[in-house]
Amino acid sequence: MAITNLPKNPEIHRIPQPKFIDAIRWLSSPSPFQKSFITSLYDSDYHTPSLEIHSLDPSKTLTTALFSWTPPSRISSLKSTPSLFAASTFLGSLHIFKTPEEMSVLGNDMSDLGSKTSDMEPVVSVVGREFHVGSVGGVDLMEGGSECVTVGEDGRVNLVVERGDFRRVFDENGLVSYSAVKWASPAEFVTGGCGFGLQWWDLRQSSAAVAQFKGNWDHGTTSGIIHSIDINPSRKHTCLAGGSSGTVFAWDLRRPQEPIILSSIGSSDTMTHPLSESEVWEVQYDCYTNSLNSNISSSRILPAMICSEDGILAVIGQGEEPTELLAEPCAINSFDIDNQNPSDVICSLEWESIVILSRP
Amino acid sequence: MYIGLVWLVVRFRNWHLDGYISDEIFSLIKVKSNQADSSASASGGALSQEFCFEWDHVMEYSKDIKELLGNPKSNYDPLIEDPKEVLNKGEEPTSLKAAWELMEMFYADKLCQSWFPERLVDWLADYDCLLSGDQPTVHSKLVDFQGTLVTLQVIEDDPKYWEVISSALAIGWLEIVVKLLRLHGSYQLDQLGHRETENGLVETVAVLISMMPRMRLELKNGKLGECFEAKPDFMKAWEKWREQITKLDSSAFWVPCHHRQTREGLKNLIQIMLGNTKILCTATDHWIELYISHFLFIRPFTVGFEGMYNLAQKCIQMKPMSSPHKLLRLIIGIIGENTEVVLAECSRGFGPWMVAHAIELLTARSDLADILLHKEHDDIGGISMEELHRLVYAQVLTSHFLTWQIAPVYLTSCMKQGMSLLEFLLYRQPAQHNQLLLKNLEICRLYDLDHVSSNIMKIAGVYHWKHGRKGLGVFWLQQARDEFLLNKIARQLFDSVGKSISSESFKQWEGLIELLGSESKPAGSLEFLHKYRDFKKSLQQACDRKTLDAAQHAADSLMSLMKNPSTPQRFWLPLLYDSLTLLSWPARPLLNVSQTNLLLNKLQELSMASVRPGFVASDLPAEALNSVRLALATNLGRAILEEQ
Amino acid sequence: MEKSVATLDEGTTCTSWNYCGQRLATGSFNGFLSIFDSPDPASSSFTATSKIRIHEGGIVKIVWIPPEYGDAVACICGDGSLSLWEEIAEDGQPLQWKLCETFRSKGSTVLEAQFGVIRTSLKMVVAYSDGHVKVYELLDPFELKNWQLQAEIQNVIDSVSTFGKASCFSASISWNPQLNESQEPSFVLGFNSDTPQLNSSKVWVFDQAHHRWLPVAELALPLDKSDQVFAVAWAPNIGRAYELIAVATHKGITIWHVRLNPDLDGRLSLKKAALLSGYEGEVWQMEWDMSGMTLATSGTDGMIRLWQSNLNGVWLEQAAFEPTP
């Protein structure tokens, strides 16, 4: 159903893992041959969650755990920037780590590594009922920014500074539950929650959302939860959101009541055949496809990659046929495009394996 | 005819489940649609074509499963470079794979029919390593011997050497035999001089062995023997071969062979090749090894299950075992042609996965088995054995959180009881974590289980509501389209109407109204609540700013509320009481004559209604009514004055 | 292959799992209600998260209320009262267990209570020690406080005769765990009392037309009608033409096939499918698995047994465990 625009097929490597993978992100690495990534795992045999940094061997067939940490409960959200990464948990705590600098593996022969996994400790941990009650739905860090924003199921929006203090930006007392957040600039961010609702916040202005969007374009017949938001640094006024029922849309702050729907089921007239009919877990702008098609006008939505519950990993663009990269029999729960090398994509499958795609 | 089934490619995974299931669990289901048309049974040609088609499906299915079960390098690899190494140090195969191959061999592989004995020879070559339990096997003896091989000086002096060679020969591992023979000391360059005859004998035996005729289609690369497809050709070759052996046996070259062990050892090998039962019995350990040796050296033409079964019984008698290995029990069941025993052994020895998947192979072979397995049993609710085993396997899958998502695939292929069990299964999943809930709802969506999904959503909605997350609660109840509960919530909001509540509570109250939405309901209660909320807000603004505009706006809001038929009567007085400040606005009357009259009429209506039974009085202070009446009257006066 | 899932406090007298097996409620001899939770749905180790004193005396039985109405339990206490407790976070307060309602009856004690969800209402059947059985209905789904008495019945087929003060030692109720809403709600009820007519298990079905509960079947052979019933269990029906109900008396466990659709005579067809025996003592607790294929029983001999039917309909004991001390 999708016509691939790529001249060659991407290289796909599958690496089975012994534990269930909740989320996965690339970490910045000094050399393209020694890639590493951070992953939050859950061991179903011992019922313990863990947060681990793995290195990937050059042949992309083996991963080795370099560092690990046991969080107080399962990780609900994971984000990484070149120098830091943050993980939030279902119990309502946040932990920020410094990306370890020394991650090179001694020697090239992975098989006789023998070195045990080192422990890593967070530089900042925020816990307690004051912070969040219940699960933290989303967390985001900005490279160069000084604060980490967290949003929770309890309707609270908090900002955490480096030393571990936090301030409450907003507390809806449970009337809203947030499930995603993304920084737009050092002072603005976007949150998303139920009913395909998005809120734009500006910290320089009032402490309530400055703009809101309620996603009921087809009169509430399809409603859902937003799972992921992405904002392109070059187009800060537009954000991309993905959520339930295969819905992916863009919200332009300049035209707040006219969302641009890229994919959706239901009676929309934009797509005759939706790319996915189930939850879109993550969306990310795809700079690789963007760089290939250089003729995208500034008014069009940039191409973005999505992963979904029905096992689709695809690149979707406004007014174009989507390009399917993977169609797995199980859900793809999480993915990340390598900022340093956007042709590489890592994703985690429901059935305890990691897939690495290298686009030509 | 076969019932149409749709299989779905799922996955491959290998792990332990702590005693729930034996050893490993794999699951594979393949997307195929069965195109068997029952009308094709009309013509014979089409019938055979259809059977071929079905057989193709089954073989492909079987091959897929075998691939999943792992492809370890066979321990028995004739191409090992190192002369001192006879066995591969590969990964040990699993008994599950061994069992599956047996099932495929006997039930699904139509090509195999004529070559069962040779096929069993190959099978034993791959899986003899699994059979060593209490008793030694040829494989275990070889492994032990290989360990000592490095240290042996004069290899042909060791009796174990000859023992191992004869055992290997007995079960047809010709390449190992020849390789071992060529390790004989007489081949060494410094020995060749004075051990010529000996060497000649060893070499002749080796050559004879490598030329052994085999009743089979082909041999893999590097394997020894000559293949013959047709019986007459084989017979001729067999007789010739036997002649050569007998000639060697009675030749004069044995006399100058001084090395006793060599002479005896080689003679032993010759006896094996001539089919000497006693020697064969000594050379083998397990009955299955003896069984195989019969096929190779005594009765290469054994066909038909009856013949095979009788031979097997004879071998068992010659080599009784106290606790036979599960694979051997399975073999007896298979060649005994007893479907129920086969199923029982699969279940007992290999677990529910094996039974659930092997049934497909069992039904491929015989109509009898097909009928047996598809017969509906009233005593278990009218399901067939096939369905029963699939249900059992699905329940096994549901016991572990990593595998329960695969269970729906099996359950939906169970025609009678699968869907209901799936419903119960989904209903029993926790609904508290959003991500898990969404995944469960996806399963409901895939299988059209709308009532289950609305039930689960209702549970989630009530859970979140009661845990203080009203937003999520309302969201899930709206997704569940549970009008009943949403109405209840709306009714709760009515309690706050007409009462003075703190601004915090008002915000909550307001937020809830927002959540409940205004369009999704057929007017009525929510419309009123929205209007009331707007009115309260504008009233607040009027009181705050004290401007005429704000006050007018609030007054208009009040009028729209009072005129609206959806405003319940019991709120009229509270509304008017709330708006006392508006009614007595100092600057100018905010309501004109007709508006004031309307309100006064409403008050009158209210007073009349209050004497009727069933009237619920609002809990306002007693003088509320009078204050309102007074204010309205005053307003009326002012309004009349203004209009003049 | 045993694995410890939770360690209960000393003095625990009764336990109950919630509908999805994620929470365990336990009651102690001195009136403490403890709730055990697992940190993650995938985990199978439970730790105590709440402990409250709900009564001066002991707690005899705990029953979870169906999840459509919240996280709540009904506790039958030693003094014969029935109290409903709910875990709720109200108006900015933290999550805590609160008492919703208490049911007391003068002169009789509560023996057993079970809940059934019928379309949009929650019904509770309570059996008392004087042989009376009351069916309550919850009016407001958000408040577990407002219950209305819907019916009062006596466990007899012939409704004409009434019994004065019966003296019942225990009662057993099991609702039909149906997911199909088109079927009328039904439950099976049996007593262990000194009044023979009350004892045998009867299937009660709600007659929508006349708005009352009717006993439609008696699960006992004529000779066994006065046998005291220790436990009853109704199996989930995943597609059988009949309902499967297990009844435990001193003679053993009887498995009944009941067809709830009346035949041409207007009567329901009953069949005694099996009598399970061969164990010591009496069976006091029985539970069916999700598919209704396996029955687990436990009793005074301290053993847990699993029973299954083979292809010919013969019920056999498949396994017996003795819990390790």
Side-chain angles (χ1 to χ4, degrees):
Chain A
M1 78 177 196
I3 309 163
T4 62
N5 296 330
L6 304 171
K8 281 190 289 187
N9 283 333
E11 223 174 82
I12 301 178
H13 301 273
R14 286 166 211 277
I15 309 172
Q17 296 287 308
K19 303 183 198 175
F20 187 83
I21 306 161
D22 286 323
I24 197 162
R25 301 269 175 253
W26 285 114
L27 284 176
S28 63
S29 52
S31 100
F33 298 109
Q34 280 171 0
K35 293 175 104 74
S36 55
F37 56 89
I38 175 105
T39 160
S40 62
L41 305 163
Y42 186 72
D43 186 339
S44 55
D45 292 332
Y46 296 102
H47 312 297
T48 43
S50 60
L51 194 61
E52 292 178 9
I53 296 183
H54 284 236
S55 72
L56 190 64
D57 77 323
S59 68
K60 297 183 183 153
T61 51
L62 207 60
T63 66
T64 324
L66 296 176
F67 297 94
S68 115
W69 179 68
T70 307
S73 80
R74 225 162 144 173
I75 302 284
S76 58
S77 184
L78 186 66
K79 285 281 167 71
S80 74
T81 64
S83 55
L84 298 170
F85 59 91
S88 64
T89 66
F90 279 108
L91 278 184
S93 61
L94 173 74
H95 310 273
I96 304 181
F97 298 75
K98 259 196 168 42
T99 311
E101 283 137 16
E102 192 48 60
M103 286 204 288
S104 60
V105 173
L106 297 168
N108 284 328
D109 189 2
M110 291 286 196
S111 55
D112 60 16
L113 205 47
S115 61
K116 71 178 178 66
T117 314
S118 316
D119 291 324
M120 59 181 176
E121 288 297 321
V123 294
V124 166
S125 274
V126 189
V127 292
R129 289 186 63 85
E130 272 304 302
F131 185 51
H132 278 292
V133 179
S135 165
V136 175
V139 66
D140 197 25
L141 289 168
M142 190 154 191
E143 185 62 14
S146 56
E147 288 170 321
C148 174
V149 62
T150 64
V151 293
E153 239 180 35
D154 51 4
R156 292 185 189 168
V157 180
N158 293 325
L159 284 172
V160 179
V161 295
E162 271 196 41
R163 270 185 314 273
D165 303 319
F166 70 94
R167 65 183 175 99
R168 177 79 45 78
V169 171
F170 193 68
D171 188 354
E172 265 279 45
N173 270 323
L175 278 180
V176 184
S177 287
Y178 298 108
S179 46
V181 66
K182 182 84 187 171
W183 283 106
S185 75
E188 298 160 285
F189 57 88
V190 182
T191 57
C194 308
F196 291 140
L198 287 173
Q199 299 85 22
W200 190 285
W201 306 75
D202 192 333
L203 294 170
R204 297 164 298 206
Q205 297 179 31
S206 67
S207 65
V210 297
Q212 292 214 35
F213 172 73
K214 258 184 121 43
N216 47 4
W217 48 80
D218 49 356
H219 310 293
T221 48
T222 35
S223 182
I225 306 178
I226 302 247
H227 297 301
S228 173
I229 303 172
D230 197 16
I231 300 178
N232 194 310
S234 63
R235 310 238 176 123
K236 286 211 197 116
H237 45 76
T238 312
C239 74
L240 191 67
S244 306
S245 311
T247 309
V248 183
F249 67 96
W251 182 39
D252 192 332
L253 208 54
R254 300 166 299 190
R255 281 182 286 278
Q257 299 310 319
E258 296 165 22
I260 303 158
I261 302 174
L262 298 175
S263 171
S264 158
I265 60 173
S267 55
S268 73
D269 47 9
T270 50
M271 301 277 301
T272 47
H273 200 106
L275 175 63
S276 160
E277 290 184 3
S278 62
E279 314 293 315
V280 170
W281 293 118
E282 295 206 7
V283 293
Q284 258 189 51
Y285 279 111
D286 185 16
C287 26
Y288 179 75
T289 312
N290 189 14
S291 65
L292 287 183
N293 318 342
S294 47
N295 56 348
I296 296 182
S297 72
S298 63
S299 61
R300 289 193 42 181
I301 306 296
L302 296 171
M305 193 178 291
I306 65 153
C307 74
S308 74
E309 174 68 17
D310 43 17
I312 309 271
L313 182 74
V315 177
I316 196 169
Q318 187 182 14
E320 288 167 12
E321 278 291 311
T323 311
E324 220 173 75
L325 295 169
L326 280 182
E328 298 289 312
C330 66
I332 302 180
N333 288 327
S334 167
F335 77 94
D336 196 23
I337 302 176
D338 192 354
N339 282 330
Q340 295 170 308
N341 186 13
S343 60
D344 285 342
V345 181
I346 193 169
C347 46
S348 71
L349 267 51
E350 178 83 17
W351 292 339
E352 307 102 42
S353 56
I354 293 175
V355 175
I356 299 175
L357 266 123
S358 300
R359 295 178 278 180
Chain B
M1 289 299 124
Y2 295 106
I3 301 169
L5 289 166
V6 177
W7 300 96
L8 198 81
V9 172
V10 173
R11 67 154 172 155
F12 152 51
R13 169 119 160 82
N14 183 354
W15 76 134
H16 279 274
L17 284 190
D18 281 325
Y20 278 116
I21 309 114
S22 64
D23 294 328
E24 299 116 3
I25 284 244
F26 306 87
S27 52
L28 159 95
I29 321 176
K30 209 163 171 62
V31 176
K32 277 184 201 290
S33 57
N34 189 346
Q35 288 142 16
D37 189 12
S38 52
S39 63
S41 61
S43 70
L47 182 67
S48 62
Q49 197 180 33
E50 181 196 277
F51 271 124
C52 285
F53 186 67
E54 288 302 327
W55 168 63
D56 279 339
H57 271 270
V58 176
M59 269 315 282
E60 219 179 299
Y61 163 74
S62 181
K63 281 195 168 31
D64 283 328
I65 291 200
K66 272 204 304 192
E67 215 179 277
L68 279 195
L69 289 175
N71 259 330
K73 277 209 308 194
S74 175
N75 275 331
Y76 173 57
D77 187 347
L79 299 175
I80 306 172
E81 292 300 324
D82 182 355
K84 289 266 179 158
E85 208 173 288
V86 287
L87 287 174
N88 237 338
K89 284 198 213 63
E91 193 185 299
E92 199 175 88
T94 60
S95 50
L96 194 61
K97 182 157 190 208
W100 188 266
E101 273 208 37
L102 277 175
M103 299 291 288
E104 184 194 75
M105 191 192 318
F106 284 103
Y107 291 108
D109 197 349
K110 295 285 191 277
L111 281 181
C112 229
Q113 300 275 17
S114 338
W115 328 109
F116 276 139
E118 281 284 340
R119 196 68 188 78
L120 266 178
V121 173
D122 289 344
W123 181 86
L124 192 66
D126 287 332
Y127 299 111
D128 194 38
C129 48
L130 294 172
L131 298 175
S132 36
D134 305 322
Q135 274 175 296
T137 55
V138 173
H139 181 264
S140 63
K141 288 201 301 209
L142 265 173
V143 167
D144 290 337
F145 183 70
Q146 181 157 285
T148 63
L149 200 57
V150 202
T151 54
L152 277 178
Q153 295 287 11
V154 187
I155 196 169
E156 60 270 21
D157 280 346
D158 189 359
K160 278 234 172 320
Y161 171 68
W162 295 107
E163 204 185 302
V164 155
I165 291 185
S166 41
S167 292
L169 177 62
I171 57 171
W173 293 2
L174 307 179
E175 302 72 28
I176 290 182
V177 172
V178 169
K179 196 165 183 184
L180 281 172
L181 278 176
R182 297 226 164 102
L183 290 176
H184 194 268
S186 63
Y187 284 92
Q188 283 170 20
L189 290 174
D190 59 340
Q191 304 274 326
L192 261 173
H194 55 274
R195 290 169 80 170
E196 248 180 54
T197 327
E198 208 181 307
N199 184 256
L201 284 168
V202 174
E203 182 60 25
T204 318
V205 171
V207 167
L208 276 173
I209 288 173
S210 62
M211 283 173 17
M212 177 177 172
R214 306 284 291 269
M215 185 76 203
R216 61 188 293 153
L217 209 50
E218 62 185 1
L219 275 168
K220 277 199 259 189
N221 274 341
K223 295 221 175 181
L224 297 172
E226 309 244 336
C227 297
F228 294 92
E229 231 184 280
K231 193 162 158 182
D233 298 333
F234 175 81
M235 278 311 296
K236 257 184 13 198
W238 183 256
E239 308 228 337
K240 196 160 143 224
W241 186 67
R242 278 279 172 86
E243 257 177 54
Q244 287 173 315
I245 297 172
T246 323
K247 223 168 81 176
L248 175 66
D249 196 27
S250 49
S251 83
F253 289 108
W254 294 101
V255 178
C257 174
H258 297 296
H259 194 240
R260 183 184 59 84
Q261 287 96 325
T262 306
R263 201 176 52 236
E264 281 172 9
L266 289 175
K267 285 267 183 181
N268 213 24
L269 291 180
I270 287 174
Q271 284 305 307
I272 288 179
M273 291 195 278
L274 289 175
N276 184 325
T277 322
K278 202 158 130 264
I279 306 284
L280 281 174
C281 205
T282 328
T284 54
D285 301 296
H286 265 263
W287 73 259
I288 188 97
E289 290 164 352
L290 179 60
Y291 191 53
I292 299 284
S293 66
H294 271 78
F295 289 133
L296 285 168
F297 300 107
I298 303 178
R299 294 160 50 170
F301 297 120
T302 312
V303 286
F305 281 96
E306 204 176 318
M308 286 176 73
Y309 184 70
N310 291 333
L311 178 60
Q313 292 293 6
K314 219 173 84 178
C315 292
I316 293 175
Q317 270 170 12
M318 284 199 268
K319 287 206 174 286
M321 289 176 71
S322 51
S323 52
H325 193 271
K326 54 191 180 183
L327 284 168
L328 301 177
R329 289 201 310 261
L330 183 60
I331 292 177
I332 294 287
I334 294 174
I335 56 183
E337 293 192 281
N338 192 332
T339 314
E340 277 157 339
V341 169
V342 170
L343 273 181
E345 285 303 332
C346 282
S347 172
R348 186 153 75 116
F350 304 97
W353 177 87
M354 185 69 183
V355 185
H357 292 85
I359 285 188
E360 193 67 12
L361 297 181
L362 282 170
T363 53
R365 191 166 91 93
S366 78
D367 279 336
L368 266 177
D370 189 33
I371 291 169
L372 177 73
L373 293 167
H374 287 125
K375 175 175 160 220
E376 289 175 2
H377 295 258
D378 281 330
D379 290 312
I380 47 171
I383 55 174
S384 64
M385 268 169 85
E386 183 183 42
E387 186 166 331
L388 174 67
H389 285 117
R390 257 190 232 148
L391 283 174
V392 168
Y393 181 59
Q395 284 186 74
V396 167
L397 286 175
T398 60
S399 63
H400 195 274
F401 111 96
L402 284 180
T403 52
W404 86 265
Q405 283 191 349
I406 309 171
V409 186
Y410 286 89
L411 288 174
T412 46
S413 72
C414 293
M415 296 295 140
K416 295 217 159 156
Q417 296 182 357
M419 285 313 282
S420 297
L421 184 54
L422 180 58
E423 288 178 22
F424 275 107
L425 173 65
L426 285 166
Y427 174 72
R428 293 269 191 101
Q429 291 295 312
Q432 286 78 24
H433 283 81
N434 265 351
Q435 212 189 16
L436 197 60
L437 176 63
L438 287 167
K439 288 185 189 267
N440 294 342
L441 289 172
E442 175 66 10
I443 296 179
C444 292
R445 186 186 73 87
L446 281 175
Y447 298 109
D448 290 322
L449 296 171
D450 290 329
H451 54 288
V452 178
S453 61
S454 48
N455 205 359
I456 302 178
M457 290 197 245
K458 177 180 165 184
I459 294 176
V462 171
Y463 172 78
H464 286 294
W465 177 271
K466 295 206 170 186
H467 279 68
R469 291 185 282 275
K470 301 211 150 106
L472 264 183
V474 170
F475 171 72
W476 283 119
L477 289 174
Q478 283 172 330
Q479 292 288 89
R481 302 193 204 288
D482 194 324
E483 301 297 346
F484 183 72
L485 283 181
L486 287 168
N487 269 335
K488 286 269 179 209
I489 294 179
R491 227 154 277 154
Q492 274 187 7
L493 294 177
F494 274 86
D495 293 341
S496 310
V497 172
K499 298 205 180 79
S500 59
I501 47 179
S502 66
S503 57
E504 269 293 316
S505 313
F506 183 72
K507 263 179 57 179
Q508 273 270 313
W509 182 90
E510 201 189 353
L512 275 172
I513 296 184
E514 264 308 307
L515 281 176
L516 289 174
S518 55
E519 309 137 18
S520 53
K521 302 223 4 40
S525 49
L526 276 181
E527 196 191 322
F528 162 69
L529 283 176
H530 271 84
K531 286 204 174 358
Y532 181 74
R533 180 206 49 196
D534 293 338
F535 161 67
K536 281 293 267 194
K537 269 173 129 156
S538 51
L539 186 64
Q540 188 66 32
Q541 277 193 342
C543 294
D544 289 339
R545 296 198 211 147
K546 302 206 189 325
T547 61
L548 193 59
D549 279 336
Q552 190 63 56
H553 187 245
D556 292 336
S557 206
L558 172 66
M559 284 316 300
S560 120
L561 257 179
M562 292 302 292
K563 281 196 219 169
N564 197 319
S566 66
T567 305
Q569 197 188 57
R570 68 183 196 269
F571 290 132
W572 289 350
L573 188 56
L575 276 172
L576 292 172
Y577 190 66
D578 265 348
S579 350
L580 272 180
T581 44
L582 287 181
L583 298 176
S584 21
W585 196 256
R588 53 168 296 229
L590 296 171
L591 303 172
N592 63 24
V593 176
S594 57
Q595 286 173 331
T596 323
N597 271 326
L598 188 127
L599 290 182
L600 280 168
N601 284 336
K602 290 254 180 207
L603 264 189
Q604 187 66 11
E605 238 182 274
L606 198 62
S607 322
M608 294 206 313
S610 64
V611 297
R612 277 191 236 115
F615 178 74
V616 177
S618 52
D619 40 44
L620 291 172
E623 67 277 6
L625 187 60
N626 284 334
S627 323
V628 171
R629 205 176 264 142
L630 183 62
L632 278 176
T634 322
N635 196 54
L636 184 61
R638 291 163 72 195
I640 293 175
L641 280 175
E642 237 195 43
E643 270 173 36
Q644 280 180 342
Chain C
M1 284 271 179
E2 294 170 6
K3 190 181 133 178
S4 169
V5 157
T7 307
L8 306 180
D9 303 326
E10 261 188 52
T12 302
T13 51
C14 51
T15 60
S16 180
W17 288 97
N18 76 340
Y19 79 108
C20 57
Q22 294 295 317
R23 310 194 81 183
L24 177 66
T26 67
S28 72
F29 71 99
N30 50 1
F32 278 94
L33 171 72
S34 304
I35 308 288
F36 288 75
D37 283 305
S38 68
D40 187 271
S43 163
S44 64
S45 69
F46 294 79
T47 47
T49 51
S50 326
K51 186 168 177 171
I52 45 168
R53 190 122 196 246
I54 64 164
H55 195 249
E56 294 293 317
I59 303 175
V60 173
K61 184 161 181 166
I62 300 182
V63 179
W64 279 90
I65 286 174
E68 291 90 331
Y69 296 88
D71 274 340
V73 291
C75 305
I76 301 176
C77 304
D79 67 350
S81 64
L82 173 71
S83 52
L84 302 179
W85 291 78
E86 183 179 21
E87 190 183 44
I88 192 165
E90 263 172 350
D91 297 329
Q93 285 177 351
L95 198 64
Q96 51 184 289
W97 285 87
K98 290 203 164 106
L99 175 64
C100 299
E101 182 72 358
T102 311
F103 295 83
R104 268 179 238 275
S105 176
K106 263 212 208 92
S108 65
T109 58
V110 172
L111 295 176
E112 162 84 304
Q114 290 289 343
F115 295 90
V117 177
I118 292 95
R119 298 188 191 98
T120 51
S121 72
L122 178 65
K123 290 200 169 46
M124 174 171 67
V125 179
V126 186
Y128 289 86
S129 58
D130 59 1
H132 286 265
V133 178
K134 297 190 181 161
V135 181
Y136 290 92
E137 190 170 2
L138 182 67
L139 297 171
D140 181 355
F142 285 111
E143 302 274 330
L144 290 174
K145 294 190 191 28
N146 306 322
W147 294 84
Q148 191 180 61
L149 179 63
Q150 193 208 29
E152 201 166 326
I153 55 181
Q154 281 213 305
N155 194 29
V156 285
I157 287 280
D158 153 36
S159 58
V160 171
S161 45
T162 51
F163 298 88
K165 281 284 189 175
S167 171
C168 307
F169 179 62
S170 73
S172 187
I173 304 169
S174 179
W175 282 88
N176 179 356
Q178 69 201 50
L179 291 182
N180 174 13
E181 297 207 330
S182 61
Q183 251 189 312
E184 290 301 336
S186 45
F187 61 88
V188 62
L189 163 67
F191 271 94
N192 174 2
S193 75
D194 61 355
T195 311
Q197 294 88 334
L198 289 180
N199 283 339
S200 66
S201 322
K202 288 141 189 112
V203 177
W204 291 83
V205 175
F206 190 65
D207 176 7
Q208 194 65 35
H210 300 98
H211 216 75
R212 58 179 181 179
W213 290 89
L214 295 174
V216 296
E218 186 172 2
L219 301 181
L221 295 175
L223 285 174
D224 305 331
K225 282 193 180 167
S226 51
D227 286 346
Q228 287 120 340
V229 167
F230 302 139
V232 293
W234 195 312
N237 189 346
I238 54 170
R240 290 179 282 264
Y242 50 84
E243 300 289 335
L244 209 50
I245 304 179
V247 177
T249 61
H250 71 274
K251 290 190 178 134
I253 301 167
T254 317
I255 309 277
W256 292 89
H257 289 188
V258 182
R259 280 170 209 264
L260 282 184
N261 299 319
D263 56 17
L264 298 164
D265 296 352
R267 274 179 299 172
L268 296 192
S269 81
L270 285 181
K271 180 175 123 180
K272 176 175 161 177
L275 176 66
L276 312 178
S277 53
Y279 54 86
E280 302 264 321
E282 297 153 354
V283 163
W284 284 94
Q285 269 191 308
M286 297 196 289
E287 201 168 310
W288 289 96
D289 75 329
M290 204 181 355
S291 63
M293 291 198 224
T294 311
L295 176 67
T297 64
S298 73
T300 51
D301 64 350
M303 298 281 284
I304 299 166
R305 289 167 211 278
L306 300 179
W307 308 82
Q308 274 181 346
S309 158
N310 67 10
L311 290 173
N312 301 322
V314 177
W315 285 82
L316 299 164
E317 183 189 296
Q318 299 294 333
F321 310 99
E322 191 160 4
T324 46

